[in-house]
Structure formats: C-alpha cells, structure tokens
C-alpha cells in the first residue's frame, strides 16, 4: 500500500529534530555558564569593593583618632592593615593628603597606570557628612583591573587603588566548577533532547500515518478512496506526466496491463431514502466487505463516494476481467438484511483496460464510467468499454457539465401527449414530458438526461422546475379558454423535498389555478419501495385536490396492496403490456387484471402505448375507457397541441 505522495515519511526528520534539540541543549548550557559566570563576577566585584570601602573607612578612622599624621605613622598604619604575616596585598597604591601634608605609597603598581587612573577619577566637593557613601569603582588600565576608593572630608582625602587577586582566584575557581557543571548540564540536556526527539519523531510519524490513512481511506467502509487510487496509479507509472521523479515510488515497476472496474449499486438510493441513512451506511459496509472478499491481494477495492466503487486489477486481461465482473455482479445480487428485511441491491459495472483503451489513470476511470452507464441503461449487469460508445460517453460528460445552463436558461421544456377517451378520441388531459433543447445536440429525450439529473443530486430542483413549467402553462391556457389538466412525472425522490407541497400551492395560488388541473404521476416500481412514507406524502397532495396516478403499472415487483394505500385517481398500464396485445393472450390477462384492480379501488385505468385501432377496440371491450399513444398523437410542443385543444379536436385525426 503506497502512501500518499504528499505525506511520505521524511527520513531526515529525526536527525533534524536531534540536531535542533542538541543545539537547544548547547545553547542552554552556554547561557547557564555565561549567566553564572557574570553573576559570580558581579558578586565578587561587589564583595571586593565593599571590602575596599571598609578598609578605607578603617584607615580614615585611625588617622582621625591618632591625631598623628606623620608619614612614619601612616606607613606603619598601612603596613598593619595591608601587609601582615597572614595577609599581603600584591599591588597597592595609597595617597593621603590635607592642606599641610601629602603622603603616598606605591606597592608594585606601574606609576603611569596610577597617573592615568588618578586623572580619570571624578573630582568631588568637600563634604562633612555621608562619608560612608564615598565613591569607589573599577577601571581597566592596559588590561589590568584596578579597584579604587576615595574618602574625602574637610580634613583629609584618602585615595586607595589596588588589584584584586582574590577576585581573580575566585573567578578561576568558579569557572572550573561551572565547566564541570555545564558538562553535566549539557549531557543531561543532550540525553533529554535525544529522548524527546525520539518520542516526538514517533508521535509525528504516527500522526503522519494517521493523516495519510485519513486522507486516503473512506471513513465509513475503511476502503481506500479516490485520492489513494490516484496515488496508486501515479506510483505504478500510469500517469507519467504527474509523477515526481524524485519519489521512491517512481521506481516501482509498472504493470504490463490491467483492468479497472467502476461499480454502481442499482438500488442504493431507494434503500437510503426508504430506510434512512443509517440503513444505507450499513448496506455499503456489507457490500464493501463482500466485494473485498471476492478479490485477491493484488486487486484494490476503492470507494469513490455514495454507492460507487472502483476495482483496480493489475496484470488482468480483458477475458479475466469479464469473469471477475460477472462474479462481482453475483456478489452484489446477494441479498442483504436491512431492518430484518432481505434487500437485493444489484449493480452495474463498467470495465476499461490498460493499455488497450488508454494509458492515463483519469481516462481509464472515465472510460469505465462510460461503460458502467451503458450497462445501467441496457440493464446488462456489466459492459466493456468499446470505441463505438466513445462518442456517447463524451456526450454524457458534456451533458453533465451543461445541466446548469439547461435549468437556468430554461432549455428543458415540456412536450404534451394527449390522453383520450378510447370510445370517441376526445382529449381528457395531457401528459407533460420533458425535452431538452440542447444548443448543439438538438432535441434530447429524457433517456439522455434524467439519469444525469438523479446522479447530480438536483432531482428536487428539477421536480420544482417541472411543476413551475406545468403551472405556468396551465395559466397561459386558461387565459385562452383552455381548461385541460396537465399530468407531470415526478420521482419519489422529489417527495423527499419537505417544502414541495407548499411550493406547489404557492404557485397554484399565484397563477390562480385550481389544484384539480394538476396531476402527479409516479413510477410504480419506485413508489412501492416505501409505501408508508409515499402514501403519507401523496395523501397530502390529494387532500389538496391534486390528482394522482401510478405510471408504468405492472413493471414493479412489490405487492399490489400499495394501490389501495396510495388511493390514486388513475392507474396507467405500462406500454409493454399493450404492444401486440391483440395477439398475446398473456398480455391481455395482465391488462384485464390491471383494469379490474382499477375498478376495485375506484380508479380509472389508462392504457399507454396504444398504436392502432385494433388495440383501442380491444381495450374498450376489456373495460378500459382511456388511453394514450402514437395512434392518437405523439408528444408535441405547446405550439402544436394548442390548436387541437382550442378546436376541441377528436383523435386520431382522420
């Protein structure tokens, strides 16, 4: 499983982290030594200056008390203070002066340095108080540190200058201890840095792995997602133009061939909308597990999102791909238990082959998607991409992109097919059928775009669009004196729109249209999925006066009990049972059953797809009074059907 390229491991991360931590440790040790040394130096200097101040004060006091300021006495006094047998100052200069006497003593200090220092000392006025606050300080002269103290009153001025051997000794001692301590601190910090870097590296890489999995795997099923598939395709060199040549995965051997499968579950939306999202999620998890079990270790199952999956099978030829597709169809056809009900989802699968179809990963997915759409349209289970449906696939992709303009520019319009009384051909209503007036492809039937609308998630928007067009047309007709009901086809997904009824009533009131002129037709096979919910929603429409119809009756696979629950106005017999009905007794039996059920539930039966007079006459004999089909009129634009409605024409026109 190659990781996503953007989240590959940084092999130098730990080394970088260790270097950073060691640098921090070294910085900490250095700062510790510098700060400690400076602190020791400052404290030592302060101690020396305090000691020098006390010595000067003592000397000053002795001079005042002795009342003997002879030079001999001063020499003896200085020797007693600074040159005893237990203590000796290495370098010393003392100067005592008053108005009558000047005495000085220099012990081992260069005279030029003393002169320079004396010249730099500040001049203080004679004071009689605060002698204890007399100034002292430190001056560097030719790299020699000299400590000085000045004592001055109204009788004497005493200046003492000396070097500090004890301070230097103390600082050397402190430095030795600091070096030892700093080494210990450094190694402790280094050990902590190494431990911390190892821990941080592990945490970061674990988070990196978790992010990589989160980015490349589906949260619901745990399967890889499309980003993972794209990364996989890049790593096996199916997308050479997008490969980072420095990536380790660029050197992975590319397969000589491979097959890609796009899988779309046929009934997932019905299950999801009927039983709720929790049931839909459970279904996806179950199906994903079954599909995974059907594959070997070399094949990768990916969830694109929703109910779409992709299988990438490297080194698989087309013949084996067909066998695998059939096996996957059988897996998806296995029933799944949802809310204690056995549900069969089914699937449509499209297959594309590398490199015979394309050597580009995105194109491979697109071609398989085109083949899947063909399988879904033909209900063939699976389909292999072929060049003959390339144009159809390109058209589908283009139409999907053009859907936005189709709705905003009002390109989708209604064509109207009359519903007539079979006895005399009188028009009793019309069915509005959507047609797309595409700017380049011309007139398109719902076959080309209804599925695209459902996949785009714009079903509810499209339902409102059709309702608006139908009510606007009713308004225009009634202004012309035409009072013909319009039936429109809605998907059960439209009924999931909680505001649909309010939206419809708002439009009916806005255009002053009686609700009985609008009829909603729903497909039986879709309606019967969740009869309780559909029945509740449709009852709201019927109570509001809107007529209801079941379209394509006979094609659904559920119990017929839903007819009584829905309480519809019309039951439309699917055209598949009307074709050749005059020769097929089985179709006659189905039609007769539908007509009988309609009478039982106080509904009217309408036969779809009537193509000749013989069929119309047979249906009348069977008790079906209404129908529609090409025998009477094909779906036509509004400008063609309006004359028929205005003139109250009876169909077919002879």
């Amino acid at each position: 499983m190659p990781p996503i390229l953007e989240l590959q491991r940084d092999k130098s991360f730990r080394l970088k982290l260790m270097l950073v931590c060691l640098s921090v440790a070294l910085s900490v040790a250095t700062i510790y030594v510098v700060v400690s040394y400076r602190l020791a130096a400052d404290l030592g200097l302060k101690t020396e200056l305090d000691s020098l101040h006390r010595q000067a004060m003592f000397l000053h006091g002795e001079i005042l008390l002795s009342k003997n300021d002879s030079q001999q006495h001063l020499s003896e006094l200085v020797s007693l203070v600074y040159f005893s047998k237990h203590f000796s100052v290495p370098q010393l200069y003392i100067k005592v002066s008053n108005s009558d006497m000047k005495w000085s003593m220099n012990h081992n200090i260069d005279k030029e340095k003393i002169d320079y220092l004396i010249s730099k000392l500040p001049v203080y006025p004679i004071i009689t108080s605060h002698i204890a606050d007399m100034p002292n300080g430190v001056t560097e002269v030719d790299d020699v540190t000299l400590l000085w103290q000045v004592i001055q009153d109204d009788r004497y001025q005493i200046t003492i200058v000396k070097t500090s051997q004890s301070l230097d000794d103390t600082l050397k001692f402190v430095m030795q201890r600091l070096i030892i301590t700093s080494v210990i601190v450094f190694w402790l910090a280094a050990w902590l840095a190494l431990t911390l870097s190892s821990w941080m590296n592990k945490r970061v890489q674990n988070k990196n792995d978790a992010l990589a999995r989160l980015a490349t795997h589906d949260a619901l099923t745990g399967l890889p997602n499309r980003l993972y598939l794209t990364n996989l395709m890049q790593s096996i060199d199916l997308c050479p133009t997008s490969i980072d040549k420095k990536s380790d995965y660029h050197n992975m051997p590319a397969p000589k061939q491979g097959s890609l499968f796009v899988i779309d579950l046929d009934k997932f939306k019905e299950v999801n909308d009927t039983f709720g999202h929790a049931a839909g999620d459970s279904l996806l998890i179950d199906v994903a597990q079954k599909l995974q079990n059907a594959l070997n270790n070399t094949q990768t199952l990916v969830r694109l999102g929703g109910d779409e999956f992709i299988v990438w099978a490297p080194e698989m030829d087309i013949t084996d791909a067909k066998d695998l597709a059939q096996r996957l169809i059988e897996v998806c056809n296995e029933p799944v238990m949802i809310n204690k009900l056995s549900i069969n989802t089914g699937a449509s699968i499209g297959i594309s082959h590398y490199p015979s179809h394309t050597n580009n990963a995105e194109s491979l997915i697109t071609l398989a998607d085109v083949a899947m759409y063909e399988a879904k349209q033909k209900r063939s289970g699976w389909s292999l991409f072929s060049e003959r449906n390339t144009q159809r696939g390109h058209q589908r992709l283009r139409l999907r992109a053009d859907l936005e303009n189709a709705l905003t520019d009002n390109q989708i319009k209604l064509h109207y097919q009359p519903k007539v009384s079979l006895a005399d051909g009188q028009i009793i209503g019309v069915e509005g059928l959507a047609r797309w007036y595409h700017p380049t492809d011309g007139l398109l039937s719902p076959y080309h775009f209804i599925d695209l609308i459902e996949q785009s998630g714009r079903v509810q928007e499209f339902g409102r669009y059709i309702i608006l067009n139908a009510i606007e047309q009713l308004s225009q007709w009634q202004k012309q004196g035409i009072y013909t009901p319009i039936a429109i086809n809605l998907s059960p997904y439209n009924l999931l729109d909680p505001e649909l009824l309010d939206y419809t009533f708002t439009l009916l009131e806005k255009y002053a249209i009686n609700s009985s002129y609008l009829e909603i037709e729903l497909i039986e096979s879709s309606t019967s999925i969740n009869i309780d919910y559909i029945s509740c929603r449709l009852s709201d429409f019927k109570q509001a006066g809107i007529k209801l119809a079941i379209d394509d009756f006979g094609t659904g696979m559920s119990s017929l009990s839903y007819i009584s629950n829905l309480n519809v106005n019309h039951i439309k017999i699917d055209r598949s049972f009307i074709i050749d009905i005059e020769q097929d007794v089985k179709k006659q039996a189905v039609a007769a059953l539908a007509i009988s059920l309609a009478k039982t539930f106080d509904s009217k039966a309408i036969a779809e797809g009537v193509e000749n007079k013989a069929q119309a006459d047979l249906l009348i004999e069977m008790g079906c009074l209404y129908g529609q089909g090409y025998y009477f009129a094909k779906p036509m634009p509004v400008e063609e059907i309006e004359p028929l409605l205005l003139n109250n024409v009876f169909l077919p026109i002879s």
Side-chain angles (χ1 to χ4, degrees):
M1 186 189 336
I4 180 173
L5 296 179
E6 291 81 357
L7 293 176
Q8 292 177 13
R9 288 180 179 269
D10 184 357
K11 297 180 179 179
S12 63
F13 175 76
R14 185 179 183 184
L15 177 61
K16 294 176 181 177
L17 189 59
M18 289 172 60
L19 291 176
V20 170
C21 291
L22 288 174
S23 299
V24 172
L26 183 60
S27 300
V28 169
T30 302
I31 292 172
Y32 169 77
V33 170
V34 171
V35 171
S36 299
Y37 181 82
R38 294 297 302 175
L39 180 61
D42 291 342
L43 289 175
L45 183 60
K46 184 177 184 304
T47 302
E48 286 282 347
L49 289 174
D50 289 344
S51 176
L52 181 61
H53 184 269
R54 288 192 297 271
Q55 295 167 15
M57 292 296 295
F58 174 77
L59 186 61
H60 178 265
E62 288 296 323
I63 293 173
L64 292 177
L65 290 175
S66 66
K67 298 182 181 181
N68 183 356
D69 55 3
S70 66
Q71 294 185 3
Q72 181 179 359
H73 178 70
L74 291 175
S75 298
E76 293 175 355
L77 187 59
V78 169
S79 297
L80 179 63
V81 174
Y82 292 101
F83 300 102
S84 66
K85 64 179 181 179
H86 300 292
F87 176 77
S88 179
V89 177
Q91 294 178 313
L92 177 68
Y93 171 82
I94 297 178
K95 178 181 179 182
V96 179
S97 62
N98 60 18
S99 58
D100 300 326
M101 180 268 296
K102 288 185 179 181
W103 177 85
S104 66
M105 187 273 292
N106 188 347
H107 179 71
N108 298 332
I109 299 181
D110 186 84
K111 186 176 184 304
E112 293 181 357
K113 295 179 181 179
I114 295 297
D115 293 340
Y116 177 81
L117 175 63
I118 296 299
S119 67
K120 296 297 183 180
L121 291 180
V123 178
Y124 295 93
I126 296 176
I127 61 175
T128 59
S129 61
H130 303 296
I131 294 179
D133 296 331
M134 281 297 178
N136 58 15
V138 180
T139 302
E140 292 281 343
V141 181
D142 296 337
D143 298 328
V144 176
T145 302
L146 299 177
L147 283 67
W148 54 269
Q149 175 72 56
V150 176
I151 300 292
Q152 181 175 319
D153 62 7
D154 55 350
R155 294 178 58 188
Y156 293 96
Q157 178 177 331
I158 302 175
T159 303
I160 302 177
V161 179
K162 73 170 188 173
T163 58
S164 178
Q165 183 64 38
S166 61
L167 177 60
D168 294 338
D169 293 341
T170 301
L171 290 179
K172 289 180 181 178
F173 178 80
V174 170
M175 179 57 71
Q176 292 174 356
R177 297 303 185 268
L178 285 176
I179 290 174
I180 296 174
T181 305
S182 65
V183 170
I184 297 174
V185 170
F186 174 75
W187 282 113
L188 287 175
W191 174 82
L192 180 61
L194 293 174
T195 303
L196 184 62
S197 64
S198 177
W199 176 78
M200 289 181 63
N201 178 72
K202 184 176 180 180
R203 288 293 300 271
V204 169
Q205 294 301 349
N206 288 341
K207 292 294 184 183
N208 197 47
D209 293 342
L211 287 174
R213 181 170 182 81
L214 183 64
T216 58
H217 285 73
D218 174 52
L220 177 65
T221 62
L223 294 176
N225 59 18
R226 182 160 190 157
L227 183 59
Y228 177 95
L229 179 65
T230 301
N231 185 63
L232 177 64
M233 293 298 192
Q234 288 180 349
S235 66
I236 62 176
D237 208 17
L238 288 189
C239 298
T241 58
S242 60
I243 281 288
D244 179 5
K245 300 300 182 181
K246 298 180 181 180
S247 170
D248 294 339
Y249 304 104
H250 177 66
N251 298 321
M252 293 179 63
K256 296 180 181 179
Q257 63 176 336
S259 296
L260 187 136
F261 305 75
V262 171
I263 306 172
D264 184 84
L265 303 183
D266 291 335
K267 298 179 182 178
F268 172 73
K269 289 183 178 179
E270 297 173 358
V271 172
N272 203 46
D273 296 334
T274 300
F275 299 104
H277 294 292
D281 291 346
S282 176
L283 173 64
L284 288 173
I285 294 172
D286 198 314
V287 172
Q289 186 61 52
K290 290 182 177 181
L291 290 173
Q292 187 71 67
N293 293 338
L295 304 176
N296 60 37
N297 294 333
T298 65
Q299 298 159 358
T300 303
L301 177 64
V302 173
R303 184 190 176 204
L304 285 188
D307 61 340
E308 284 194 335
F309 297 86
I310 283 182
V311 172
W312 166 244
E315 307 300 348
M316 177 174 285
D317 59 24
I318 292 178
T319 300
D320 291 338
K322 293 178 180 179
D323 295 337
L324 178 57
Q326 186 58 46
R327 189 161 69 251
L328 295 177
I329 289 292
E330 294 172 357
V331 167
C332 293
N333 282 334
E334 295 177 0
V336 177
M337 296 301 296
I338 301 292
N339 293 347
K340 299 181 180 181
L341 296 176
S342 178
I343 296 176
N344 184 311
T345 60
S348 298
I349 300 178
I351 310 170
S352 60
H353 182 258
Y354 161 80
S356 61
H357 293 152
T358 182
N359 63 354
N360 178 271
E362 285 297 324
S363 298
L364 202 64
I365 296 173
T366 300
L367 299 183
D369 187 64
V370 170
M372 181 276 293
Y373 179 73
E374 182 181 26
K376 186 177 288 290
Q377 294 295 105
K378 293 182 178 180
R379 301 183 184 276
S380 59
W382 61 266
S383 176
L384 176 69
F385 175 81
S386 62
E387 293 299 331
R388 68 176 180 273
N389 57 23
T390 301
Q391 183 176 1
R392 182 185 303 172
H394 290 167
Q395 181 193 39
R396 180 168 178 261
L397 294 175
R398 189 178 67 256
L399 293 180
R400 179 184 294 175
D402 293 342
L403 271 179
E404 179 71 27
N405 293 335
L407 297 178
T408 56
D409 297 345
N410 210 30
Q411 295 175 6
I412 297 180
K413 302 181 183 297
L414 292 179
H415 279 202
Y416 300 92
Q417 185 176 31
K419 295 187 290 185
V420 304
S421 169
L422 294 177
D424 55 14
Q426 181 180 8
I427 299 175
I428 62 169
V430 295
E431 179 180 2
L433 301 168
R435 298 291 186 268
W436 186 353
Y437 286 80
H438 196 275
T440 57
D441 291 6
L443 186 64
L444 300 177
S445 68
Y447 171 84
H448 294 88
F449 60 86
I450 290 297
D451 185 61
L452 294 178
I453 290 175
E454 291 182 352
Q455 293 182 5
S456 69
R458 308 184 70 171
V459 176
Q460 296 181 2
E461 179 185 353
F462 181 70
R464 292 191 177 203
Y465 177 90
I466 294 299
I467 291 174
L468 174 61
N469 276 261
I471 293 178
E472 286 180 341
Q473 189 60 62
L474 285 170
S475 176
Q476 294 176 14
W477 281 351
Q478 292 189 7
K479 291 177 182 178
Q480 302 175 54
I482 300 174
Y483 293 90
T484 301
I486 295 179
I488 56 174
N489 292 281
L490 290 184
S491 164
Y493 304 124
N494 295 122
L495 297 179
L496 299 177
D497 182 353
E499 306 298 329
L500 184 63
L501 183 59
D502 291 338
Y503 173 80
T504 304
F505 271 112
T506 300
L507 290 178
L508 290 172
E509 292 178 359
K510 175 182 178 181
Y511 291 98
I513 301 298
N514 189 292
S515 58
S516 62
Y517 286 95
L518 183 66
E519 184 173 5
I520 295 177
E521 296 183 1
L522 284 98
I523 300 173
E524 177 220 346
S525 57
S526 297
T527 306
S528 59
I529 293 297
N530 188 349
I531 185 59
D532 293 332
Y533 178 78
I534 296 299
S535 176
C536 180
R537 297 291 294 154
L538 290 180
S539 294
D540 295 337
F541 280 88
K542 187 164 186 179
Q543 290 176 6
I546 297 174
K547 294 182 179 179
L548 305 176
I550 295 296
D551 197 14
D552 299 336
F553 175 77
T555 59
M557 303 302 293
S558 63
S559 170
L560 296 178
S561 63
Y562 74 95
I563 301 177
S564 60
N565 291 330
L566 292 181
N567 192 24
V568 297
N569 300 93
H570 299 132
I571 294 178
K572 302 184 71 175
I573 307 172
D574 187 69
R575 67 183 67 250
S576 61
F577 300 108
I578 304 303
I579 298 174
D580 299 327
I581 189 175
E582 61 271 35
Q583 291 93 22
D584 193 328
V585 295
K586 294 182 179 179
K587 292 182 178 180
Q588 292 176 19
V590 174
L593 176 61
I595 295 168
S596 176
L597 287 172
K599 292 179 179 179
T600 301
F601 296 115
D602 197 23
S603 302
K604 296 178 181 179
I606 300 177
E608 297 180 297
V610 179
E611 296 184 352
N612 54 58
K613 187 176 185 302
Q615 292 175 353
D617 291 340
L618 178 59
L619 288 167
I620 293 174
E621 292 179 8
M622 297 173 65
C624 181
L625 304 180
Y626 306 100
Q628 66 183 103
Y630 277 32
Y631 172 63
F632 304 105
K634 62 180 178 61
M636 60 190 78
V638 64
E639 58 269 16
E640 293 183 16
I641 199 170
E642 276 185 355
L644 301 181
L645 300 177
L646 283 170
N647 297 317
N648 197 25
V649 174
F650 289 79
L651 301 174
I653 301 175
S654 56

